[in-house]
Amino acid sequence: MELLKKIESKQAKLGVIGLGYVGLPLAVEFARAGFTVVGYDVDQTKVNDLMAGRSYIPDVPSDHLADVVKNGRFVATTDPKRLNEVDIIDICVPTPLRKTKDPDMTYVVQAVEATAEVLRKGQLIILESTTYPGTTVEVVQPTLAAKGFKPGEDFYLAFSPERVDPGNPQYQTKNIPKVVGGINEDSTRAAVAFYSQVMDTVVPVSSPSVAEMVKLLENTFRAVNIGLVNELALMCHRMSLDVWEVIDAAKTKPFGFMPFYPGPGLGGHCIPIDPFYLSWKARQFNFEARFIELAGVVNGSMPEFVVQRIIDALNSQRKSLNGSRVHIIGVAYKRDVNDLRESPALEVLELLAKRGATVSYTDPYVPHLKHGHLDLTSVNEKSMHESVDCGVIITDHKVFDYHSMVTRFPLLVDTRNALKGVTRKNVFRL
Ligand SMILES: NC(=O)c1ccc[n+]([C@@H]2O[C@H](COP(=O)([O-])OP(=O)(O)OC[C@H]3O[C@@H](n4cnc5c(N)ncnc54)[C@H](O)[C@@H]3O)[C@@H](O)[C@H]2O)c1
């Protein structure tokens, strides 16, 4: 296969469609490994930033980006025609849900159409966006085949789920094993050879649908276990037990137990969304994915429970939520990232404002926040705690000085156990 030789000699050119949390680290990693990479994104602002060497993804240092822009290994563009220069196209566009919780395939369809426009013999096309089992074969393949090319012969096609964990310094693109499933043996072989140039471990599976299901199993596993532990937190609260102490002790078991932690609700572009791609597909087989639905209900109730704990805290000082000033500490969906997508902080803020509280927030990673009627700017919590009735830790960024908060805020609701070991009357946990 001609393409294999090109990959192994690093002569193969890579095109990445969608330069976000998934596509940008991938593009920069391959460029740093010596490949020439064309990144295509519809967002002109992002393209401008990238070409100026400014990274908007914390896991991609600007100096790494600037190096590969400068040495010509990476170019970002809004022109899809530039993809006709490349041998491999990796699609990393969003896969959100519609309001009805059905998959929104708009971006994937657009990206595949852009790919079909430039498709030529010998190319390898890989879909990385998280999606339901069957997408590669049912959605991607027919659009490309409609160009008159034979799938698996004239072009190679595979699915490979992205497993990146933003903000995780230990596991990044290079050392996260990569699962790959091609539509035929040659497609898998080409995709394995490609990823092996950069990733330490590549795991081939028998089909794209298996690879698609692998990703959904992983994320459903997290959603369901978080749902279980959130339910346990609600139960422990009723029983006046400290759920954090229970988990800490349970995790001393060296086998058969893996700790998950309760929190203010699910966030990010993956865990709250991906399982519904699976339950949607399962319904087409007349199969009801009950664990997914149940976990969705429990996890979805957590922001309301957080508000209840804020009301409990205020109540201890004979205050009502209506008219109180509540300050949210950390709004990103998880620690040390700047990503607000689906963050439970947004729902908590909305519920508080609806009930008449005056809300504000601090998050060094999120300078501004717009959500519904709310339009807020992050304030330094050290400068304003005196006028606040209750602080609420939603995201436990490492930069916060938690222990001084305990004396600075009259009341603190801690949804992350950031104040582990602190036993003061003004601290309320989940
Ligand atoms: N963020 C994560 O932690 C993560 C982890 C694993 C998998 N995923 C999956 O990866 C996929 C991408 O997620 P993300 O977090 O990188 O999204 P993102 O929103 O950060 O990035 C997607 C990029 O695609 C661009 N885009 C949208 N439509 C386009 C089109 N038609 N052509 C070219 N560019 C287009 C957007 O402008 C954006 O820059 C999703 O399917 C997601 O579920 C995300």
Side-chain angles (χ1 to χ4, degrees):
M1 195 193 302
E2 190 58 33
L3 182 61
L4 278 185
K5 282 189 220 136
K6 275 188 151 180
I7 290 172
E8 278 152 16
S9 61
K10 296 199 164 90
Q11 294 304 306
K13 278 194 181 177
L14 168 64
V16 176
I17 305 188
L19 300 169
Y21 286 90
V22 166
L24 186 63
L26 184 90
V28 171
E29 201 64 53
F30 272 90
R32 278 163 57 80
F35 287 84
T36 301
V37 183
V38 176
Y40 161 58
D41 201 293
V42 287
D43 186 334
Q44 185 67 55
T45 315
K46 282 186 175 168
V47 167
N48 293 348
D49 277 344
L50 295 174
M51 290 313 285
R54 283 190 301 269
S55 170
Y56 42 78
I57 302 287
D59 289 339
V60 176
S62 287
D63 54 334
H64 287 188
L65 170 69
D67 279 352
V68 290
V69 170
K70 218 164 137 198
N71 69 17
R73 291 270 177 232
F74 175 70
V75 61
T77 177
T78 52
D79 179 5
K81 289 196 200 80
R82 293 287 306 267
L83 293 170
N84 61 15
E85 298 166 23
V86 306
D87 304 289
I88 300 159
I89 295 181
D90 215 313
I91 301 174
C92 307
V93 294
T95 42
L97 287 176
R98 297 187 187 283
K99 280 210 170 89
T100 51
K101 295 221 153 133
D102 289 348
D104 179 354
M105 299 303 285
T106 320
Y107 305 99
V108 170
V109 168
Q110 284 167 357
V112 175
E113 279 165 1
T115 302
E117 284 300 311
V118 295
L119 190 67
R120 55 181 165 74
K121 276 198 174 181
Q123 270 182 327
L124 166 64
I125 314 300
I126 307 174
L127 179 63
E128 290 217 21
S129 302
T130 306
T131 183
Y132 56 82
T135 307
T136 305
V137 172
E138 294 161 15
V139 178
V140 184
Q141 184 173 317
T143 308
L144 300 180
K147 285 291 197 185
F149 294 117
K150 262 194 158 174
E153 281 181 37
D154 294 339
F155 69 92
Y156 309 106
L157 176 62
F159 181 81
S160 179
E162 177 51 61
R163 292 163 142 177
V164 72
D165 182 19
N168 185 333
Q170 193 186 353
Y171 291 107
Q172 302 221 326
T173 306
K174 189 174 172 3
N175 62 349
I176 301 174
K178 198 87 175 97
V179 172
V180 170
I183 57 164
N184 64 348
E185 246 176 61
D186 279 350
S187 296
T188 306
R189 209 145 56 95
V192 169
F194 165 62
Y195 287 119
S196 303
Q197 299 301 312
V198 159
M199 278 80 173
D200 297 341
T201 311
V202 181
V203 184
V205 294
S206 63
S207 69
S209 300
V210 168
E212 287 156 346
M213 191 63 144
V214 166
K215 175 71 185 177
L216 293 181
L217 166 62
E218 291 166 5
N219 283 1
T220 300
F221 174 82
R222 282 189 63 76
V224 168
N225 278 288
I226 293 168
L228 172 66
V229 86
N230 274 334
E231 190 176 68
L232 203 84
L234 301 176
M235 206 190 296
C236 281
H237 176 65
R238 290 275 178 97
M239 296 176 173
S240 301
L241 292 170
D242 180 345
V243 68
W244 307 97
E245 187 188 352
V246 172
I247 298 166
D248 274 351
K251 78 177 186 200
T252 59
K253 186 178 177 185
F255 49 86
F257 183 81
M258 185 187 279
F260 284 84
Y261 297 95
L266 297 181
H269 184 31
C270 296
I271 312 297
I273 291 173
D274 302 348
F276 293 102
Y277 268 67
L278 185 52
S279 55
W280 175 84
K281 188 68 182 174
R283 277 199 296 279
Q284 293 180 1
F285 293 82
N286 205 17
F287 190 95
E288 200 192 332
R290 286 167 295 175
F291 274 108
I292 292 176
E293 299 298 332
L294 183 58
V297 171
V298 176
N299 292 329
S301 73
M302 293 312 286
E304 192 67 63
F305 183 61
V306 172
V307 171
Q308 187 52 51
R309 294 300 285 146
I310 297 167
I311 291 171
D312 293 345
L314 290 167
N315 204 31
S316 73
Q317 293 191 348
R318 297 168 189 239
K319 288 179 178 169
S320 68
L321 181 56
N322 189 351
S324 284
R325 193 149 177 200
V326 182
H327 186 73
I328 303 293
I329 299 153
V331 294
Y333 86 88
K334 73 170 186 174
R335 178 193 291 172
D336 299 342
V337 303
N338 63 356
D339 192 349
L340 250 189
R341 288 178 295 178
E342 313 288 325
S343 174
L346 299 172
E347 195 175 341
V348 171
L349 279 164
E350 196 180 329
L351 291 170
L352 291 170
K354 259 191 201 155
R355 287 168 167 82
T358 302
V359 291
S360 53
Y361 83 96
T362 301
D363 194 318
Y365 293 96
V366 185
H368 304 288
L369 174 164
K370 270 191 181 178
H371 178 68
H373 297 300
L374 294 170
D375 187 350
L376 302 171
T377 299
S378 175
V379 287
N380 183 344
E381 48 92 10
K382 284 192 174 157
S383 68
M384 49 96 62
H385 53 90
E386 272 165 19
S387 54
V388 165
D389 295 296
C390 182
V392 185
I393 300 167
I394 295 281
T395 312
D396 52 346
H397 292 310
K398 285 196 206 108
V399 293
F400 290 136
D401 176 5
Y402 294 103
H403 287 271
S404 80
M405 281 178 197
V406 177
T407 49
R408 288 186 287 111
F409 283 92
L411 291 166
L412 263 180
V413 173
D414 178 7
T415 69
R416 300 283 187 181
N417 205 24
L419 304 170
K420 187 175 176 178
V422 174
T423 50
R424 285 175 66 114
K425 275 203 173 131
N426 66 331
V427 173
F428 289 71
R429 292 191 168 77
L430 268 194

